[in-house]
Amino acid sequence: MQLPRVVIAAVFFVIGALLLIPMLFDWGSSASRASTSATTSPSPSGTATSPSPGPSKTSPAPAQPVTASIGSVSCPAGTVKVTVRNTGKRNEDFGVEKNDGSAAIPGQIRANSTRSVAVEVREDRRTRITVNWANKRIESKTVKANCEKAGAAPTKTPPEELPHTGPDAVLWARGATGVAIIVTGAIIFWYGGIWPRRRDQIFPEKR
């Protein structure tokens, strides 16, 4: 057995093992952590269980069945969405007012329903919007339209999909490199064994 091929093959085996051993250890530790988390069960609680409540009582009707919410300015229309909700059992009247001197916007909402109203506001001016029901204010908000200054919104480009470069990808790359190096060492060891150990003389000796 020739010593050089053994030394070269041993060097390849050692390098491949140095790359494969960390991968095997990391793989085993991750598998053990996964099995431990899967078999862990929550510890029983020592608190006493509370007695089951008795039959539920019917909740009274809400004191204020009509509620409202006021959104933000929508460009380029320059309108504000006002949403009115009626949780009562009868139709209700409501009104939307602005402090710009314009007339109030009357409306009616059915029982157990929701209605939206688009309120137009003036450009570059603070406008206070108020929602009234049953002669009282239930919601108010001050808004300001800047649609002309905002302009068209830029188009958002979807983010590019980047290749996966996490720790597991690096681990598999190291493992594949280690296997390739070991296979290379095995080929060198095998080919060195079948290589002819002596060569025939090309030119015959002269006598």
Side-chain angles (χ1 to χ4, degrees):
M1 182 179 293
Q2 298 177 358
L3 183 61
R5 70 185 180 95
V6 176
V7 174
I8 296 174
V11 171
F12 276 87
F13 289 155
V14 171
I15 296 175
L18 291 177
L19 293 176
L20 278 177
I21 289 175
M23 174 186 174
L24 296 177
F25 273 108
D26 292 343
W27 191 12
S29 61
S30 61
S32 62
R33 287 195 300 267
S35 61
T36 303
S37 60
T39 56
T40 303
S41 58
S43 58
S45 175
T47 57
T49 57
S50 58
S52 58
S56 58
K57 298 180 180 180
T58 304
S59 58
Q64 181 177 318
V66 179
T67 57
S69 61
I70 303 174
S72 302
V73 179
S74 177
C75 295
T79 57
V80 177
K81 182 180 179 181
V82 177
T83 303
V84 183
R85 300 175 181 84
N86 182 11
T87 58
K89 297 182 180 180
R90 65 178 184 179
N91 299 345
E92 299 288 348
D93 296 327
F94 68 92
V96 180
E97 297 180 355
K98 297 183 293 181
N99 64 343
D100 57 358
S102 60
I105 304 174
Q108 187 180 69
I109 182 171
R110 297 180 179 179
N112 295 321
S113 63
T114 303
R115 180 179 176 183
S116 298
V117 179
V119 180
E120 185 177 358
V121 294
R122 297 180 181 178
E123 177 68 19
D124 199 15
R125 179 177 176 179
R126 298 178 65 86
T127 304
R128 185 171 183 84
I129 301 175
T130 305
V131 183
N132 299 320
W133 167 76
N135 295 327
K136 64 180 181 180
R137 182 178 60 188
I138 59 175
E139 185 65 27
S140 64
K141 183 179 181 180
T142 302
V143 297
K144 184 178 181 180
N146 291 321
C147 295
E148 294 181 359
K149 296 180 180 179
T155 304
K156 295 183 179 180
T157 57
E160 297 181 358
E161 295 184 0
L162 299 177
H164 181 62
T165 57
D168 52 347
V170 177
L171 194 63
W172 282 108
R174 292 179 59 184
T177 305
V179 172
I181 293 176
I182 292 177
V183 172
T184 304
I187 293 174
I188 293 175
F189 183 80
W190 168 77
Y191 193 72
I194 65 175
W195 188 262
R197 299 183 180 180
R198 67 179 182 179
R199 298 179 181 178
D200 297 333
Q201 294 181 358
I202 299 177
F203 301 102
E205 296 180 358
K206 294 182 180 181
R207 297 179 181 179

